[in-house]
Structure formats: C-alpha cells, structure tokens
Amino acid sequence: DAKTTQPPSMDCAEGRAANLPCNHSTISGNEYVYWYRQIHSQGPQYIIHGLKNNETNEMASLIITEDRKSSTLILPHATLRDTAVYYCIVNPSGGSNYKLTFGKGTLLTVNP
Amino acid sequence: DAGVIQSPRHEVTEMGQEVTLRCKPISGHDYLFWYRQTMMRGLELLIYFNNNVPIDDSGMPEDRFSAKMPNASFSTLKIQPSEPRDSAVYFCASSLWQSGNTIYFGEGSWLTVV
C-alpha cells in the first residue's frame, strides 16, 4: 500500500536545478518525509528528511507544503553523477518503526 | 569511517547450495537491516536487528532464509538450500537510534543462483 506517489522518470540538464516532486496526501502528523537515492549498482544513499519545515543540507533542499501533502526535493545544480533513482518515503522517525518502504521512485537522468 | 561492509560482493552458486552473506555495520550503530532488491519486487526489507536482537523478520521469505547477529559488529544472512529465484542483490544497512530513519547502506552482495 503505497504512501507516496512519484513520477517514474524525469530529465534535467546538467547545471540546472532538478525538482523532484512527491505526493503523500495520507501522511500522518508524526510521519517524516525522507529522500534516498540509488545510483546504478550501488546501495541507496540517504539525502535529507523533514517534518514540516523546509530543510537544506550540502546535497539538497526539501520543500514541504504547508498541508504536508506533498514535497519537492531540489538538487540546485545537477551534475551527471546525480543520475539515479530517487525515493521519497514517509515514516515515523525511529521509535518502534524502522520499516522503511521503498517504492519505485523517480529515475532522474541528468543530460550533458 | 569505512561504512557498512558486505561480503562477498558477487557470488554465483548452484541451486541447492548454502549461501552465507556477511555484514559489518558502521561502528557504534545499534540497528542493522537486511534488504533484498530485484527488478520485479524492488527493494524489500527482510529483517532488522536492534542491539543484536531480531526485532522484525516478517519480510523473510521462507524458512530457507535465516539471519543472525552474534555481536554488534557482525551479521550473517544464510540461504539454505538456495534456489534460482533467490538471485538478487542483498543489501545490509545500519543506523543509529538517535538519527531516526537515516540508514546507511552497504554496496550490496550480488547473488546469482544457477
């Protein structure tokens, strides 16, 4: 039972911002939004997470709408190495629930 | 930090043979996870441990699969006997309770059962 909806694929030009959307209309009040990515032939890599405020780190920015029903992951200056499958996951943070459920994600292709 | 270390990286085995996958989590982490990834089913959580104790093994496909964590720095996932449908990439991951669901994955063990 999918908690998030993501487009199956997106393209982005190198050097431009990549904006990856995620819908999570049934998100609960205690659930965080997590983003992971998986570069081909590698293990998934944590990117960022947030509850209701926008978050930024060295990799990306996360914008969560005020009603928390959707979010956008922003890679400000995409490079070829950012080509990967990006997963949006909603889950309570830690506690007794560590069962992250990975959907199909969005395949982001960064083109030269 | 060396990250999560898995071995072997690649294994090809014959149907019916026993397969043992190994994992060394990040030092100090208190959660350890085993995931399996296939084209058909995507990334699935098989089992996870907290402080070396199995917490949830509901994702383990059947009795042929078993996982152990004898100490904080080592875990194994065993398949006995192996079948062709077990062919997949098996990922080990670890996390620290204080970091919530920030989970660090290894590079995976690519298993082919022929």
Side-chain angles (χ1 to χ4, degrees):
Chain A
D1 111 48
K3 287 188 172 182
T4 64
T5 304
Q6 300 178 253
S9 64
M10 293 183 64
D11 286 316
C12 177
E14 188 177 19
R16 303 297 295 269
N19 297 284
L20 294 97
C22 180
N23 286 320
H24 31 79
S25 58
T26 61
I27 191 169
S28 301
N30 66 338
E31 289 184 316
Y32 286 67
V33 180
Y34 287 83
W35 283 84
Y36 282 75
R37 74 178 182 183
Q38 187 172 22
I39 296 170
H40 183 61
S41 299
Q42 296 184 20
Q45 177 190 23
Y46 165 81
I47 301 173
I48 199 168
H49 75 282
L51 182 62
K52 53 184 178 181
N53 297 321
N54 298 337
E55 301 287 345
T56 295
N57 63 21
E58 65 279 3
M59 289 183 68
S61 294
L62 174 60
I63 308 298
I64 303 174
T65 58
E66 193 168 342
D67 63 7
R68 304 210 320 124
K69 293 185 176 181
S70 66
S71 60
T72 301
L73 178 75
I74 301 172
L75 308 178
H77 305 287
T79 71
L80 298 179
R81 289 177 295 180
D82 292 322
T83 293
V85 177
Y86 288 76
Y87 299 98
C88 170
I89 302 165
V90 296
N91 206 64
S93 180
S96 61
N97 189 346
Y98 270 84
K99 298 180 71 169
L100 288 184
T101 301
F102 288 79
K104 296 188 183 302
T106 296
L107 172 60
L108 174 69
T109 302
V110 181
N111 300 303
Chain B
D1 199 320
V4 176
I5 299 172
Q6 293 187 244
S7 65
R9 287 298 314 277
H10 297 88
E11 177 149 348
V12 180
T13 190
E14 291 186 347
M15 182 174 63
Q17 296 298 306
E18 178 179 292
V19 173
T20 299
L21 308 178
R22 298 173 177 79
C23 175
K24 176 178 169 57
I26 293 173
S27 177
H29 281 191
D30 51 3
Y31 281 85
L32 183 138
F33 308 82
W34 283 101
Y35 281 83
R36 176 174 69 174
Q37 187 171 36
T38 61
M39 288 292 292
M40 289 294 293
R41 301 175 67 90
L43 198 58
E44 305 173 279
L45 176 65
L46 300 178
I47 185 171
Y48 75 90
F49 296 81
N50 176 221
N51 292 323
N52 315 336
V53 176
I55 302 300
D56 188 335
D57 64 354
S58 59
M60 295 285 264
E62 49 197 274
D63 291 345
R64 296 185 298 106
F65 286 70
S66 62
K68 294 183 180 179
M69 192 166 185
N71 57 62
S73 59
F74 183 67
S75 176
T76 60
L77 178 67
K78 188 172 293 187
I79 309 172
Q80 166 63 14
S82 58
E83 297 182 3
R85 60 192 167 123
D86 301 330
S87 297
V89 185
Y90 291 82
F91 290 103
C92 178
S94 70
S95 178
L96 187 60
W97 178 81
Q98 292 93 318
S99 65
N101 291 126
T102 303
I103 296 175
Y104 297 87
F105 285 77
E107 292 298 300
S109 292
W110 296 66
L111 174 66
T112 302
V113 183
V114 297

